[in-house]
Amino acid sequence: MKFLIHTYGCQMNVRDSEAVEALLIEAGHEKAASEKEAELVIVNSCTVRQKAEEKAIGKAGNLIADGKITGMMGCAVKRLGPELFKKLPRLAFAVAPGELLKIPYIKGGDPLSAHAGTAFQAFVTVMTGCDNCCSYCIVPTVRGHEYSRPADDIVREVECLAERGVKEVTLLGQSVLRYRGFPQLLRRIQEIDGIERIRFTSAHPGGCTDELVAVYRDCPKVCRHLHLPVQSGSDRVLKEMGRRYTRAEYLAAVAKLHAFDPEFSVTTDVIVGYPGETEEDFEQTRMLMDEAGFDNAFIFKYSPRPGTRSAALPDDVTKAEKERRDQVLLADQERRGQARNDRLVGTVREVMVEGPSKRNKARWSGRDGGNRIVVWDCNGSGKDSASPLCPGGLVQVRITEAHPQILIGELI
Ligand code: SAH
Ligand code: SF4
């Protein structure tokens, strides 16, 4: 049967979709080239914000209305349980995260280590679930307790991926720096032939130890980029959120990374409009973001999730005010991104090639170690798979022009 999976939400969902794809192919099914061609469509849902959940359910509803056999997986399934079938009575099946083998048409296998495709990048799960209980977050409810996979399993999986041509692995977990022996795990992966880049996400500032910095120093494959969600710059709000760090501790962690390498790229997540967030709290967040000098930031408007601690608090920042704070932080980040990237003009970046740029096919695009998008003019190259100029290859690009979210350069 020809199937297609639509994925919403975070990298964990992308990873789950890939595992399901691999297991369906193993069971003799075929990936459809388009939705039209698909006989079965699976919607992998997110529930971290209400909007995300609505999108996935809306998509499934449209598919069903079009007469497609439609199933659902992912976090919204877990949150809604049987209620989902009240919203979508003709849904073919609904399978929660961690139960992927219950998807009909899958015969068996190990979802944690199943990989599909021939891409040069792969996600590797190191931890599932989450044992933090940030007041606003539904992830622990839908993804369950924290579980760390044995290091030997992870290393073996990365070795297999390397043999299949994977060049870049991203280790996944809600709080990967809580993995016991994470620095040692990175050192083991550094030794695997064929792997050129190692990334990991997400991180908690508490894990930014000297031991981690030593790994960055010793292991050239470990990319100098860290996604370090801060959520708020106000100590009062951080405490209410249960984040277990202060703004000073957070800033010290970033300062440590920048002291080691001023070009170290730090990105973050911020929530605006948390219950009771005052103008002063918000200003604290603005100031923290400037001080930290983020290379990129994802701003989220607070949305109460049923059953979380903060859902019991009045959602008292108005929609308009959340929108305003969102826009202010986005504009700040535009300026900051420009200033951060301006400093890189004239430098040479090592870039892993991804392919023709989406906006301009005459240009090619890839990412530097800091996860910055780098674009360059490419005169028809890229067809010769032996050249570094094909997806997954490493090239040197001298930066000639900087934008807030993108660097433009010329191939050396
Ligand atoms: N484990 C990661 C975050 C996973 S959720 C960490 O703690 O670093 C991804 C992002 O969604 C969070 O960083 C947060 O910014 C946002 N988010 C989570 N719950 C939210 C909510 N109820 N409303 C708005 N944004 C939320
Ligand atoms: Fe959610 Fe906090 Fe766990 Fe991240 S660390 S998934 S924000 S509970």
mmCIF file with all atom_site columns, all heavy atoms in Angstrom, residues 48-49 136-137 139 174-175 202-203 229 231 243 269-271 300-305, ligand 1:
data_model
loop_
_atom_site.group_PDB
_atom_site.id
_atom_site.type_symbol
_atom_site.label_atom_id
_atom_site.label_alt_id
_atom_site.label_comp_id
_atom_site.label_asym_id
_atom_site.label_entity_id
_atom_site.label_seq_id
_atom_site.pdbx_PDB_ins_code
_atom_site.Cartn_x
_atom_site.Cartn_y
_atom_site.Cartn_z
_atom_site.occupancy
_atom_site.B_iso_or_equiv
_atom_site.pdbx_formal_charge
_atom_site.auth_seq_id
_atom_site.auth_comp_id
_atom_site.auth_asym_id
_atom_site.auth_atom_id
_atom_site.pdbx_PDB_model_num
ATOM   1   N N   . VAL A 1 48  ? 1.928  20.752 21.788 1.00 0.00 ? 48  VAL A N   1
ATOM   2   C CA  . VAL A 1 48  ? 2.666  21.597 22.721 1.00 0.00 ? 48  VAL A CA  1
ATOM   3   C C   . VAL A 1 48  ? 1.998  22.969 22.865 1.00 0.00 ? 48  VAL A C   1
ATOM   4   O O   . VAL A 1 48  ? 2.011  23.557 23.942 1.00 0.00 ? 48  VAL A O   1
ATOM   5   C CB  . VAL A 1 48  ? 4.156  21.669 22.326 1.00 0.00 ? 48  VAL A CB  1
ATOM   6   C CG1 . VAL A 1 48  ? 4.442  22.671 21.228 1.00 0.00 ? 48  VAL A CG1 1
ATOM   7   C CG2 . VAL A 1 48  ? 5.030  21.943 23.547 1.00 0.00 ? 48  VAL A CG2 1
ATOM   8   N N   . ARG A 1 49  ? 1.386  23.437 21.797 1.00 0.00 ? 49  ARG A N   1
ATOM   9   C CA  . ARG A 1 49  ? 0.525  24.629 21.871 1.00 0.00 ? 49  ARG A CA  1
ATOM   10  C C   . ARG A 1 49  ? -0.808 24.278 21.230 1.00 0.00 ? 49  ARG A C   1
ATOM   11  O O   . ARG A 1 49  ? -0.882 23.409 20.366 1.00 0.00 ? 49  ARG A O   1
ATOM   12  C CB  . ARG A 1 49  ? 1.170  25.815 21.144 1.00 0.00 ? 49  ARG A CB  1
ATOM   13  C CG  . ARG A 1 49  ? 2.308  26.476 21.922 1.00 0.00 ? 49  ARG A CG  1
ATOM   14  C CD  . ARG A 1 49  ? 3.084  27.433 21.070 1.00 0.00 ? 49  ARG A CD  1
ATOM   15  N NE  . ARG A 1 49  ? 3.699  26.754 19.945 1.00 0.00 ? 49  ARG A NE  1
ATOM   16  C CZ  . ARG A 1 49  ? 4.853  26.086 20.003 1.00 0.00 ? 49  ARG A CZ  1
ATOM   17  N NH1 . ARG A 1 49  ? 5.532  26.020 21.129 1.00 0.00 ? 49  ARG A NH1 1
ATOM   18  N NH2 . ARG A 1 49  ? 5.327  25.483 18.938 1.00 0.00 ? 49  ARG A NH2 1
ATOM   19  N N   . TYR A 1 136 ? 4.226  25.010 32.385 1.00 0.00 ? 136 TYR A N   1
ATOM   20  C CA  . TYR A 1 136 ? 3.407  25.263 31.202 1.00 0.00 ? 136 TYR A CA  1
ATOM   21  C C   . TYR A 1 136 ? 3.375  24.092 30.240 1.00 0.00 ? 136 TYR A C   1
ATOM   22  O O   . TYR A 1 136 ? 2.666  24.101 29.248 1.00 0.00 ? 136 TYR A O   1
ATOM   23  C CB  . TYR A 1 136 ? 3.983  26.487 30.442 1.00 0.00 ? 136 TYR A CB  1
ATOM   24  C CG  . TYR A 1 136 ? 5.469  26.335 30.204 1.00 0.00 ? 136 TYR A CG  1
ATOM   25  C CD1 . TYR A 1 136 ? 5.944  25.616 29.115 1.00 0.00 ? 136 TYR A CD1 1
ATOM   26  C CD2 . TYR A 1 136 ? 6.393  26.833 31.122 1.00 0.00 ? 136 TYR A CD2 1
ATOM   27  C CE1 . TYR A 1 136 ? 7.300  25.413 28.923 1.00 0.00 ? 136 TYR A CE1 1
ATOM   28  C CE2 . TYR A 1 136 ? 7.760  26.632 30.938 1.00 0.00 ? 136 TYR A CE2 1
ATOM   29  C CZ  . TYR A 1 136 ? 8.195  25.929 29.844 1.00 0.00 ? 136 TYR A CZ  1
ATOM   30  O OH  . TYR A 1 136 ? 9.538  25.711 29.668 1.00 0.00 ? 136 TYR A OH  1
ATOM   31  N N   . CYS A 1 137 ? 4.197  23.066 30.507 1.00 0.00 ? 137 CYS A N   1
ATOM   32  C CA  . CYS A 1 137 ? 4.543  22.131 29.439 1.00 0.00 ? 137 CYS A CA  1
ATOM   33  C C   . CYS A 1 137 ? 3.802  20.808 29.522 1.00 0.00 ? 137 CYS A C   1
ATOM   34  O O   . CYS A 1 137 ? 3.769  20.148 30.565 1.00 0.00 ? 137 CYS A O   1
ATOM   35  C CB  . CYS A 1 137 ? 6.046  21.879 29.452 1.00 0.00 ? 137 CYS A CB  1
ATOM   36  S SG  . CYS A 1 137 ? 6.567  20.909 28.041 1.00 0.00 ? 137 CYS A SG  1
ATOM   37  N N   . VAL A 1 139 ? 4.600  18.227 27.567 1.00 0.00 ? 139 VAL A N   1
ATOM   38  C CA  . VAL A 1 139 ? 5.449  17.146 27.059 1.00 0.00 ? 139 VAL A CA  1
ATOM   39  C C   . VAL A 1 139 ? 5.561  15.962 28.033 1.00 0.00 ? 139 VAL A C   1
ATOM   40  O O   . VAL A 1 139 ? 5.377  14.811 27.625 1.00 0.00 ? 139 VAL A O   1
ATOM   41  C CB  . VAL A 1 139 ? 6.844  17.672 26.642 1.00 0.00 ? 139 VAL A CB  1
ATOM   42  C CG1 . VAL A 1 139 ? 7.822  16.532 26.376 1.00 0.00 ? 139 VAL A CG1 1
ATOM   43  C CG2 . VAL A 1 139 ? 6.717  18.555 25.398 1.00 0.00 ? 139 VAL A CG2 1
ATOM   44  N N   . GLN A 1 174 ? 14.702 15.717 25.315 1.00 0.00 ? 174 GLN A N   1
ATOM   45  C CA  . GLN A 1 174 ? 14.132 16.980 25.805 1.00 0.00 ? 174 GLN A CA  1
ATOM   46  C C   . GLN A 1 174 ? 15.169 17.768 26.591 1.00 0.00 ? 174 GLN A C   1
ATOM   47  O O   . GLN A 1 174 ? 15.092 18.980 26.687 1.00 0.00 ? 174 GLN A O   1
ATOM   48  C CB  . GLN A 1 174 ? 12.902 16.730 26.677 1.00 0.00 ? 174 GLN A CB  1
ATOM   49  C CG  . GLN A 1 174 ? 11.715 16.167 25.931 1.00 0.00 ? 174 GLN A CG  1
ATOM   50  C CD  . GLN A 1 174 ? 11.216 17.095 24.839 1.00 0.00 ? 174 GLN A CD  1
ATOM   51  O OE1 . GLN A 1 174 ? 11.535 18.275 24.789 1.00 0.00 ? 174 GLN A OE1 1
ATOM   52  N NE2 . GLN A 1 174 ? 10.438 16.535 23.938 1.00 0.00 ? 174 GLN A NE2 1
ATOM   53  N N   . SER A 1 175 ? 16.123 17.067 27.170 1.00 0.00 ? 175 SER A N   1
ATOM   54  C CA  . SER A 1 175 ? 17.130 17.711 28.001 1.00 0.00 ? 175 SER A CA  1
ATOM   55  C C   . SER A 1 175 ? 18.383 16.842 27.925 1.00 0.00 ? 175 SER A C   1
ATOM   56  O O   . SER A 1 175 ? 18.756 16.188 28.882 1.00 0.00 ? 175 SER A O   1
ATOM   57  C CB  . SER A 1 175 ? 16.592 17.747 29.432 1.00 0.00 ? 175 SER A CB  1
ATOM   58  O OG  . SER A 1 175 ? 16.746 18.987 30.017 1.00 0.00 ? 175 SER A OG  1
ATOM   59  N N   . SER A 1 202 ? 17.384 19.143 22.950 1.00 0.00 ? 202 SER A N   1
ATOM   60  C CA  . SER A 1 202 ? 17.582 20.447 23.519 1.00 0.00 ? 202 SER A CA  1
ATOM   61  C C   . SER A 1 202 ? 18.481 20.375 24.749 1.00 0.00 ? 202 SER A C   1
ATOM   62  O O   . SER A 1 202 ? 18.722 19.291 25.257 1.00 0.00 ? 202 SER A O   1
ATOM   63  C CB  . SER A 1 202 ? 16.236 20.982 24.023 1.00 0.00 ? 202 SER A CB  1
ATOM   64  O OG  . SER A 1 202 ? 15.555 21.734 23.110 1.00 0.00 ? 202 SER A OG  1
ATOM   65  N N   . ALA A 1 203 ? 18.895 21.549 25.220 1.00 0.00 ? 203 ALA A N   1
ATOM   66  C CA  . ALA A 1 203 ? 19.798 21.567 26.352 1.00 0.00 ? 203 ALA A CA  1
ATOM   67  C C   . ALA A 1 203 ? 19.276 22.468 27.456 1.00 0.00 ? 203 ALA A C   1
ATOM   68  O O   . ALA A 1 203 ? 18.483 23.378 27.223 1.00 0.00 ? 203 ALA A O   1
ATOM   69  C CB  . ALA A 1 203 ? 21.174 22.037 25.901 1.00 0.00 ? 203 ALA A CB  1
ATOM   70  N N   . PRO A 1 229 ? 17.040 26.705 25.349 1.00 0.00 ? 229 PRO A N   1
ATOM   71  C CA  . PRO A 1 229 ? 15.799 27.456 25.598 1.00 0.00 ? 229 PRO A CA  1
ATOM   72  C C   . PRO A 1 229 ? 15.836 28.172 26.946 1.00 0.00 ? 229 PRO A C   1
ATOM   73  O O   . PRO A 1 229 ? 16.137 27.549 27.966 1.00 0.00 ? 229 PRO A O   1
ATOM   74  C CB  . PRO A 1 229 ? 14.715 26.373 25.583 1.00 0.00 ? 229 PRO A CB  1
ATOM   75  C CG  . PRO A 1 229 ? 15.297 25.286 24.725 1.00 0.00 ? 229 PRO A CG  1
ATOM   76  C CD  . PRO A 1 229 ? 16.760 25.284 25.068 1.00 0.00 ? 229 PRO A CD  1
ATOM   77  N N   . GLN A 1 231 ? 13.233 30.618 27.843 1.00 0.00 ? 231 GLN A N   1
ATOM   78  C CA  . GLN A 1 231 ? 11.794 30.814 28.167 1.00 0.00 ? 231 GLN A CA  1
ATOM   79  C C   . GLN A 1 231 ? 11.473 32.196 28.711 1.00 0.00 ? 231 GLN A C   1
ATOM   80  O O   . GLN A 1 231 ? 10.487 32.801 28.287 1.00 0.00 ? 231 GLN A O   1
ATOM   81  C CB  . GLN A 1 231 ? 11.249 29.735 29.120 1.00 0.00 ? 231 GLN A CB  1
ATOM   82  C CG  . GLN A 1 231 ? 11.622 28.307 28.796 1.00 0.00 ? 231 GLN A CG  1
ATOM   83  C CD  . GLN A 1 231 ? 11.178 27.812 27.427 1.00 0.00 ? 231 GLN A CD  1
ATOM   84  O OE1 . GLN A 1 231 ? 10.555 28.526 26.677 1.00 0.00 ? 231 GLN A OE1 1
ATOM   85  N NE2 . GLN A 1 231 ? 11.544 26.587 27.081 1.00 0.00 ? 231 GLN A NE2 1
ATOM   86  N N   . ARG A 1 243 ? 11.839 26.373 36.129 1.00 0.00 ? 243 ARG A N   1
ATOM   87  C CA  . ARG A 1 243 ? 12.949 26.109 35.202 1.00 0.00 ? 243 ARG A CA  1
ATOM   88  C C   . ARG A 1 243 ? 14.245 25.741 35.927 1.00 0.00 ? 243 ARG A C   1
ATOM   89  O O   . ARG A 1 243 ? 15.212 25.310 35.313 1.00 0.00 ? 243 ARG A O   1
ATOM   90  C CB  . ARG A 1 243 ? 13.177 27.315 34.283 1.00 0.00 ? 243 ARG A CB  1
ATOM   91  C CG  . ARG A 1 243 ? 12.074 27.511 33.274 1.00 0.00 ? 243 ARG A CG  1
ATOM   92  C CD  . ARG A 1 243 ? 12.012 26.403 32.253 1.00 0.00 ? 243 ARG A CD  1
ATOM   93  N NE  . ARG A 1 243 ? 13.155 26.406 31.351 1.00 0.00 ? 243 ARG A NE  1
ATOM   94  C CZ  . ARG A 1 243 ? 13.365 25.490 30.417 1.00 0.00 ? 243 ARG A CZ  1
ATOM   95  N NH1 . ARG A 1 243 ? 12.540 24.463 30.281 1.00 0.00 ? 243 ARG A NH1 1
ATOM   96  N NH2 . ARG A 1 243 ? 14.407 25.560 29.648 1.00 0.00 ? 243 ARG A NH2 1
ATOM   97  N N   . ASP A 1 269 ? 14.562 29.418 22.866 1.00 0.00 ? 269 ASP A N   1
ATOM   98  C CA  . ASP A 1 269 ? 13.098 29.519 22.809 1.00 0.00 ? 269 ASP A CA  1
ATOM   99  C C   . ASP A 1 269 ? 12.667 30.471 23.919 1.00 0.00 ? 269 ASP A C   1
ATOM   100 O O   . ASP A 1 269 ? 13.218 30.429 25.028 1.00 0.00 ? 269 ASP A O   1
ATOM   101 C CB  . ASP A 1 269 ? 12.425 28.172 23.138 1.00 0.00 ? 269 ASP A CB  1
ATOM   102 C CG  . ASP A 1 269 ? 12.639 27.113 22.084 1.00 0.00 ? 269 ASP A CG  1
ATOM   103 O OD1 . ASP A 1 269 ? 13.063 27.446 20.969 1.00 0.00 ? 269 ASP A OD1 1
ATOM   104 O OD2 . ASP A 1 269 ? 12.358 25.928 22.392 1.00 0.00 ? 269 ASP A OD2 1
ATOM   105 N N   . VAL A 1 270 ? 11.680 31.298 23.608 1.00 0.00 ? 270 VAL A N   1
ATOM   106 C CA  . VAL A 1 270 ? 11.131 32.227 24.607 1.00 0.00 ? 270 VAL A CA  1
ATOM   107 C C   . VAL A 1 270 ? 9.611  32.129 24.567 1.00 0.00 ? 270 VAL A C   1
ATOM   108 O O   . VAL A 1 270 ? 9.022  31.996 23.500 1.00 0.00 ? 270 VAL A O   1
ATOM   109 C CB  . VAL A 1 270 ? 11.571 33.677 24.288 1.00 0.00 ? 270 VAL A CB  1
ATOM   110 C CG1 . VAL A 1 270 ? 10.884 34.676 25.201 1.00 0.00 ? 270 VAL A CG1 1
ATOM   111 C CG2 . VAL A 1 270 ? 13.084 33.824 24.401 1.00 0.00 ? 270 VAL A CG2 1
ATOM   112 N N   . ILE A 1 271 ? 9.013  32.175 25.734 1.00 0.00 ? 271 ILE A N   1
ATOM   113 C CA  . ILE A 1 271 ? 7.544  32.232 25.806 1.00 0.00 ? 271 ILE A CA  1
ATOM   114 C C   . ILE A 1 271 ? 7.148  33.649 26.215 1.00 0.00 ? 271 ILE A C   1
ATOM   115 O O   . ILE A 1 271 ? 7.666  34.163 27.213 1.00 0.00 ? 271 ILE A O   1
ATOM   116 C CB  . ILE A 1 271 ? 6.996  31.222 26.841 1.00 0.00 ? 271 ILE A CB  1
ATOM   117 C CG1 . ILE A 1 271 ? 7.305  29.781 26.395 1.00 0.00 ? 271 ILE A CG1 1
ATOM   118 C CG2 . ILE A 1 271 ? 5.496  31.417 27.044 1.00 0.00 ? 271 ILE A CG2 1
ATOM   119 C CD1 . ILE A 1 271 ? 6.893  28.710 27.402 1.00 0.00 ? 271 ILE A CD1 1
ATOM   120 N N   . PHE A 1 300 ? 7.426  32.066 21.285 1.00 0.00 ? 300 PHE A N   1
ATOM   121 C CA  . PHE A 1 300 ? 6.118  31.414 21.351 1.00 0.00 ? 300 PHE A CA  1
ATOM   122 C C   . PHE A 1 300 ? 5.174  32.214 22.232 1.00 0.00 ? 300 PHE A C   1
ATOM   123 O O   . PHE A 1 300 ? 5.570  32.661 23.310 1.00 0.00 ? 300 PHE A O   1
ATOM   124 C CB  . PHE A 1 300 ? 6.257  29.992 21.903 1.00 0.00 ? 300 PHE A CB  1
ATOM   125 C CG  . PHE A 1 300 ? 7.146  29.113 21.075 1.00 0.00 ? 300 PHE A CG  1
ATOM   126 C CD1 . PHE A 1 300 ? 8.399  28.734 21.528 1.00 0.00 ? 300 PHE A CD1 1
ATOM   127 C CD2 . PHE A 1 300 ? 6.738  28.677 19.817 1.00 0.00 ? 300 PHE A CD2 1
ATOM   128 C CE1 . PHE A 1 300 ? 9.231  27.930 20.760 1.00 0.00 ? 300 PHE A CE1 1
ATOM   129 C CE2 . PHE A 1 300 ? 7.563  27.881 19.038 1.00 0.00 ? 300 PHE A CE2 1
ATOM   130 C CZ  . PHE A 1 300 ? 8.813  27.500 19.510 1.00 0.00 ? 300 PHE A CZ  1
ATOM   131 N N   . LYS A 1 301 ? 3.934  32.365 21.763 1.00 0.00 ? 301 LYS A N   1
ATOM   132 C CA  . LYS A 1 301 ? 2.923  33.025 22.588 1.00 0.00 ? 301 LYS A CA  1
ATOM   133 C C   . LYS A 1 301 ? 2.333  31.969 23.522 1.00 0.00 ? 301 LYS A C   1
ATOM   134 O O   . LYS A 1 301 ? 1.931  30.896 23.062 1.00 0.00 ? 301 LYS A O   1
ATOM   135 C CB  . LYS A 1 301 ? 1.840  33.642 21.697 1.00 0.00 ? 301 LYS A CB  1
ATOM   136 C CG  . LYS A 1 301 ? 2.362  34.874 20.969 1.00 0.00 ? 301 LYS A CG  1
ATOM   137 C CD  . LYS A 1 301 ? 1.368  35.413 19.969 1.00 0.00 ? 301 LYS A CD  1
ATOM   138 C CE  . LYS A 1 301 ? 1.643  34.796 18.609 1.00 0.00 ? 301 LYS A CE  1
ATOM   139 N NZ  . LYS A 1 301 ? 0.851  35.355 17.518 1.00 0.00 ? 301 LYS A NZ  1
ATOM   140 N N   . TYR A 1 302 ? 2.313  32.280 24.791 1.00 0.00 ? 302 TYR A N   1
ATOM   141 C CA  . TYR A 1 302 ? 1.836  31.305 25.780 1.00 0.00 ? 302 TYR A CA  1
ATOM   142 C C   . TYR A 1 302 ? 0.444  30.797 25.441 1.00 0.00 ? 302 TYR A C   1
ATOM   143 O O   . TYR A 1 302 ? -0.449 31.563 25.099 1.00 0.00 ? 302 TYR A O   1
ATOM   144 C CB  . TYR A 1 302 ? 1.830  31.939 27.177 1.00 0.00 ? 302 TYR A CB  1
ATOM   145 C CG  . TYR A 1 302 ? 1.195  31.044 28.206 1.00 0.00 ? 302 TYR A CG  1
ATOM   146 C CD1 . TYR A 1 302 ? 1.867  29.931 28.705 1.00 0.00 ? 302 TYR A CD1 1
ATOM   147 C CD2 . TYR A 1 302 ? -0.106 31.289 28.672 1.00 0.00 ? 302 TYR A CD2 1
ATOM   148 C CE1 . TYR A 1 302 ? 1.279  29.090 29.624 1.00 0.00 ? 302 TYR A CE1 1
ATOM   149 C CE2 . TYR A 1 302 ? -0.703 30.446 29.598 1.00 0.00 ? 302 TYR A CE2 1
ATOM   150 C CZ  . TYR A 1 302 ? -0.009 29.342 30.073 1.00 0.00 ? 302 TYR A CZ  1
ATOM   151 O OH  . TYR A 1 302 ? -0.594 28.517 30.979 1.00 0.00 ? 302 TYR A OH  1
ATOM   152 N N   . SER A 1 303 ? 0.279  29.500 25.558 1.00 0.00 ? 303 SER A N   1
ATOM   153 C CA  . SER A 1 303 ? -1.056 28.928 25.402 1.00 0.00 ? 303 SER A CA  1
ATOM   154 C C   . SER A 1 303 ? -1.241 27.875 26.494 1.00 0.00 ? 303 SER A C   1
ATOM   155 O O   . SER A 1 303 ? -0.394 26.999 26.668 1.00 0.00 ? 303 SER A O   1
ATOM   156 C CB  . SER A 1 303 ? -1.186 28.381 23.972 1.00 0.00 ? 303 SER A CB  1
ATOM   157 O OG  . SER A 1 303 ? -1.448 27.026 23.908 1.00 0.00 ? 303 SER A OG  1
ATOM   158 N N   . PRO A 1 304 ? -2.298 28.009 27.304 1.00 0.00 ? 304 PRO A N   1
ATOM   159 C CA  . PRO A 1 304 ? -2.471 27.076 28.422 1.00 0.00 ? 304 PRO A CA  1
ATOM   160 C C   . PRO A 1 304 ? -2.773 25.669 27.913 1.00 0.00 ? 304 PRO A C   1
ATOM   161 O O   . PRO A 1 304 ? -3.592 25.505 27.021 1.00 0.00 ? 304 PRO A O   1
ATOM   162 C CB  . PRO A 1 304 ? -3.687 27.644 29.185 1.00 0.00 ? 304 PRO A CB  1
ATOM   163 C CG  . PRO A 1 304 ? -4.339 28.612 28.269 1.00 0.00 ? 304 PRO A CG  1
ATOM   164 C CD  . PRO A 1 304 ? -3.371 28.996 27.193 1.00 0.00 ? 304 PRO A CD  1
ATOM   165 N N   . ARG A 1 305 ? -2.096 24.670 28.461 1.00 0.00 ? 305 ARG A N   1
ATOM   166 C CA  . ARG A 1 305 ? -2.341 23.283 28.056 1.00 0.00 ? 305 ARG A CA  1
ATOM   167 C C   . ARG A 1 305 ? -3.043 22.551 29.187 1.00 0.00 ? 305 ARG A C   1
ATOM   168 O O   . ARG A 1 305 ? -2.563 22.565 30.337 1.00 0.00 ? 305 ARG A O   1
ATOM   169 C CB  . ARG A 1 305 ? -1.021 22.579 27.708 1.00 0.00 ? 305 ARG A CB  1
ATOM   170 C CG  . ARG A 1 305 ? -0.169 23.272 26.661 1.00 0.00 ? 305 ARG A CG  1
ATOM   171 C CD  . ARG A 1 305 ? -0.932 23.634 25.378 1.00 0.00 ? 305 ARG A CD  1
ATOM   172 N NE  . ARG A 1 305 ? -1.356 22.502 24.594 1.00 0.00 ? 305 ARG A NE  1
ATOM   173 C CZ  . ARG A 1 305 ? -2.603 22.355 24.111 1.00 0.00 ? 305 ARG A CZ  1
ATOM   174 N NH1 . ARG A 1 305 ? -3.538 23.251 24.354 1.00 0.00 ? 305 ARG A NH1 1
ATOM   175 N NH2 . ARG A 1 305 ? -2.910 21.292 23.402 1.00 0.00 ? 305 ARG A NH2 1
HETATM 176 N N1  . SAH B 2 .   ? 12.492 20.280 26.154 1.00 0.00 ? 1   SAH B N1  1
HETATM 177 C C1  . SAH B 2 .   ? 12.664 21.555 25.611 1.00 0.00 ? 1   SAH B C1  1
HETATM 178 C C2  . SAH B 2 .   ? 11.389 22.210 25.082 1.00 0.00 ? 1   SAH B C2  1
HETATM 179 C C3  . SAH B 2 .   ? 10.388 21.381 24.393 1.00 0.00 ? 1   SAH B C3  1
HETATM 180 S S1  . SAH B 2 .   ? 8.882  22.196 24.004 1.00 0.00 ? 1   SAH B S1  1
HETATM 181 C C4  . SAH B 2 .   ? 13.268 22.426 26.699 1.00 0.00 ? 1   SAH B C4  1
HETATM 182 O O1  . SAH B 2 .   ? 12.834 22.429 27.820 1.00 0.00 ? 1   SAH B O1  1
HETATM 183 O O2  . SAH B 2 .   ? 14.200 23.106 26.408 1.00 0.00 ? 1   SAH B O2  1
HETATM 184 C C5  . SAH B 2 .   ? 9.443  23.380 22.781 1.00 0.00 ? 1   SAH B C5  1
HETATM 185 C C6  . SAH B 2 .   ? 9.148  24.806 23.125 1.00 0.00 ? 1   SAH B C6  1
HETATM 186 O O3  . SAH B 2 .   ? 7.754  25.059 23.098 1.00 0.00 ? 1   SAH B O3  1
HETATM 187 C C7  . SAH B 2 .   ? 9.556  25.213 24.526 1.00 0.00 ? 1   SAH B C7  1
HETATM 188 O O4  . SAH B 2 .   ? 10.913 25.536 24.605 1.00 0.00 ? 1   SAH B O4  1
HETATM 189 C C8  . SAH B 2 .   ? 8.666  26.401 24.799 1.00 0.00 ? 1   SAH B C8  1
HETATM 190 O O5  . SAH B 2 .   ? 9.287  27.612 24.431 1.00 0.00 ? 1   SAH B O5  1
HETATM 191 C C9  . SAH B 2 .   ? 7.453  26.149 23.928 1.00 0.00 ? 1   SAH B C9  1
HETATM 192 N N2  . SAH B 2 .   ? 6.277  25.822 24.737 1.00 0.00 ? 1   SAH B N2  1
HETATM 193 C C10 . SAH B 2 .   ? 6.090  24.733 25.506 1.00 0.00 ? 1   SAH B C10 1
HETATM 194 N N3  . SAH B 2 .   ? 4.886  24.770 26.120 1.00 0.00 ? 1   SAH B N3  1
HETATM 195 C C11 . SAH B 2 .   ? 4.296  25.927 25.721 1.00 0.00 ? 1   SAH B C11 1
HETATM 196 C C12 . SAH B 2 .   ? 3.043  26.545 26.003 1.00 0.00 ? 1   SAH B C12 1
HETATM 197 N N4  . SAH B 2 .   ? 2.160  25.991 26.831 1.00 0.00 ? 1   SAH B N4  1
HETATM 198 N N5  . SAH B 2 .   ? 2.770  27.735 25.410 1.00 0.00 ? 1   SAH B N5  1
HETATM 199 C C13 . SAH B 2 .   ? 3.664  28.318 24.575 1.00 0.00 ? 1   SAH B C13 1
HETATM 200 N N6  . SAH B 2 .   ? 4.854  27.779 24.294 1.00 0.00 ? 1   SAH B N6  1
HETATM 201 C C14 . SAH B 2 .   ? 5.175  26.597 24.836 1.00 0.00 ? 1   SAH B C14 1
#
